[in-house]
Amino acid sequence: LHVANFDDDLLTSYLVDPDTGTARTVGVVSTGGGPRVVTIAPGSTHAAVGTKDDGVSIYALDPVHGRAKEVAS
């Protein structure tokens, strides 16, 4: 699960426990520019984050831990 935080310019990554539904933070990265939307294609290893200044950054998603790491902006 990945959530854009517009006010703090962050992308937060969570792992969700399949038994309890509890979400645990596993990573936070700065996006700059007020992230508005996070898009991940089914089965993809990357996320695209659109920002208020019409920018787009690409993040690699760790397949084991779910953390995001910026790879292009």
Side-chain angles (χ1 to χ4, degrees), residues 2 11 13 40 44-47 59-64 66-69:
H2 303 278
L11 175 64
S13 301
I40 305 170
S44 179
T45 59
H46 291 78
Y59 295 82
L61 304 176
D62 180 316
V64 175
R67 295 181 198 102
K69 178 181 176 183

Side-chain angles (χ1 to χ4, degrees), residues 1 14-17 20-25:
L1 174 65
Y14 298 90
L15 277 182
V16 179
D17 184 302
T20 66
T22 303
R24 175 175 58 95
T25 303

Side-chain angles (χ1 to χ4, degrees), residues 4-48:
N5 182 328
F6 182 84
D7 291 333
D8 293 327
D9 294 338
L10 300 173
L11 175 64
T12 304
S13 301
Y14 298 90
L15 277 182
V16 179
D17 184 302
D19 297 324
T20 66
T22 303
R24 175 175 58 95
T25 303
V26 293
V28 178
V29 292
S30 176
T31 61
R36 291 181 179 237
V37 63
V38 179
T39 303
I40 305 170
S44 179
T45 59
H46 291 78

Side-chain angles (χ1 to χ4, degrees), residues 6 31-37 49-57 59:
F6 182 84
T31 61
R36 291 181 179 237
V37 63
V49 176
T51 61
K52 70 178 179 183
D53 59 0
D54 295 329
V56 176
S57 294
Y59 295 82

